[in-house]
Amino acid sequence: MNVQNIGEQGLLKCLQAFCPADIVGDDGAVLQVKPGRSLVVTTDVLVDGVHFSDRTTDPTDVGWRAAVANLSDLAAMGAIPLGITVGLGVPGTLSVDWVEQLYQGLFACLQQYETPIVGGDVVRSPVITVSITAFGEVEPDRIIRRGTAQPGQAIVTTGVHGASRAGLELLLHPDQCQSLHVSDRTTLIHAHQRPTPRLDVLPILWAILNPSQPPPSPPTSPLTGMDSSDGLADAVIQICRASHVGARIDRRQIPLPAALTQWVSQEQAWQWALYGGEDFELVLCLPLAMAQQLVTQLGEGARIIGTTTAESEVWLVDSSNTYPDERLTLEQGFQHFSEGSK
């Protein structure tokens, strides 16, 4: 059975089963925001052939990844999710089963964070497009922004980088590296197909910022950060540009998946970590003592990778002096409308 066989209303009836009955059905969703809270809204669009492909991602995983992309943006702002809306564009010949599997993936991910699908829209499109708008709430003094970093702060990443890019490579070329242990292959592929938004970091961060004060006390200093959905290098550069600071990143401190350096060269592993994207970790700038506490509490994978500077450039340096310093730029990563992008 195809989408055109059941029509728009038939498809909407199928999809409303994934939404709370008391919220959907009107022209807009009504979400209650508590007094003293700010509403955070973020939108992310996934397009078939650009962000996903049936070569690497089944429809359930497409739904999961679409949810994570938006939940990660909320986490990067310090916000707790309230709900999402889904704008879905599909060809009429697409099977209803494919669409239902997409929503099953969305639902499975969102359930873990008690986040409902509260509405959306369905249209005919020559290419599958999934556009999600996510809503979250945060106390005004706990909003994490990109433009508040100060020179001399520690730069923290909450987990390893390069795993998603490595998983994609294994999916595209399954015959590669047959010597890689099955469990390592599975771990890397899972990192690409089923990533995790780092909403779990937020309560730990609040406790460190206000150790003797219960919520909702404000943090002791402005919070700076974003997620690394477009790559670790992109996150650091975007923060530095917005904050009018520079940075020195030690390549030896970039946390890599253990399996990665067993498979590819150290240089390739760093390249994927810096520019591969879709690892969905948080990159934060904090006073050194707080950064050390955060890394200790988060455990394996979390790392202080560098320091912000008063300069305007971002440099990749090598504490072992094996590699020369390298200036990092956005042009080295993926850009949607660059000459080399699809």
Side-chain angles (χ1 to χ4, degrees):
M1 184 168 57
N2 294 334
V3 171
Q4 63 188 8
N5 299 137
I6 63 173
E8 179 183 356
Q9 294 303 315
L11 183 59
L12 287 173
K13 186 176 180 180
C14 289
L15 301 184
Q16 283 175 353
F18 296 94
C19 310
D22 59 336
I23 291 183
V24 299
D26 295 312
D27 287 324
V30 178
L31 302 177
Q32 298 297 322
V33 179
K34 301 173 184 176
R37 296 292 181 101
S38 294
L39 180 68
V40 176
V41 182
T42 181
T43 298
D44 203 76
V45 180
L46 279 72
V47 179
D48 188 10
V50 178
H51 301 93
F52 61 89
S53 154
D54 57 10
R55 290 182 60 195
T56 60
T57 320
D58 66 31
T60 307
D61 290 334
V62 173
W64 181 287
R65 283 163 51 82
V68 168
N70 285 269
L71 295 181
S72 182
D73 282 339
L74 291 180
M77 294 293 296
I80 303 302
L82 294 172
I84 73 165
T85 61
V86 183
L88 182 64
V90 296
T93 54
L94 185 68
S95 71
V96 174
D97 182 62
W98 194 100
V99 180
E100 289 188 319
Q101 287 185 52
L102 170 78
Y103 270 71
Q104 287 166 4
L106 278 168
F107 188 74
C109 179
L110 294 170
Q111 261 195 321
Q112 299 184 52
Y113 306 99
E114 300 179 348
T115 305
I117 302 171
V118 298
D121 191 22
V122 174
V123 298
R124 183 179 62 192
S125 168
V127 61
I128 301 172
T129 303
V130 185
S131 176
I132 293 180
T133 297
F135 305 87
E137 63 175 3
V138 60
E139 294 163 27
D141 292 323
R142 287 185 171 177
I143 298 173
I144 301 173
R145 300 188 184 276
R146 298 182 185 184
T148 54
Q150 302 171 10
Q153 290 184 319
I155 302 173
V156 175
T157 176
T158 57
V160 299
H161 281 78
S164 179
R165 179 62 182 82
L168 175 62
E169 191 70 17
L170 289 170
L171 287 164
L172 290 172
H173 307 285
D175 57 333
Q176 284 195 12
C177 196
Q178 295 297 328
S179 62
L180 194 63
H181 195 278
V182 174
S183 63
D184 290 332
R185 294 175 66 90
T186 301
T187 297
L188 294 174
I189 290 173
H190 189 269
H192 180 72
Q193 294 180 329
R194 294 289 177 111
T196 302
R198 296 310 305 266
L199 289 160
D200 61 300
V201 172
L202 300 183
I204 299 172
L205 184 60
W206 306 150
I208 291 171
L209 291 170
N210 300 281
S212 61
Q213 303 174 34
S217 56
T220 56
S221 61
L223 297 171
T224 307
M226 62 178 288
D227 77 348
S228 63
S229 56
D230 290 329
L232 179 59
D234 176 270
V236 174
I237 294 168
Q238 297 278 17
I239 290 170
C240 288
R241 284 189 176 184
S243 299
H244 305 291
V245 298
R248 292 178 67 82
I249 305 299
D250 185 350
R251 67 171 75 230
R252 300 287 175 177
Q253 294 304 315
I254 296 174
L256 302 171
L260 200 52
T261 51
Q262 301 171 17
W263 170 30
V264 299
S265 67
Q266 187 77 58
E267 291 80 3
Q268 182 67 80
W270 281 326
Q271 186 74 10
W272 285 352
L274 288 166
Y275 302 110
E278 297 187 327
D279 289 299
F280 297 107
E281 296 293 339
L282 299 185
V283 179
L284 304 165
C285 297
L286 298 166
L288 179 59
M290 291 181 178
Q292 290 171 332
Q293 290 182 60
L294 181 62
V295 167
T296 298
Q297 293 196 38
L298 289 178
E300 186 177 2
R303 194 82 57 84
I304 295 174
I305 60 171
T307 307
T308 55
T309 68
E311 303 170 356
S312 60
E313 295 181 331
V314 177
W315 289 93
L316 182 67
V317 302
D318 184 7
S319 55
S320 71
N321 295 319
T322 303
Y323 296 89
D325 293 353
E326 175 185 344
R327 188 170 68 88
L328 300 181
T329 67
L330 292 179
E331 287 69 29
Q332 293 166 276
F334 175 80
Q335 301 290 321
H336 273 284
F337 301 105
S338 66
E339 187 175 333
S341 63
K342 296 181 180 179

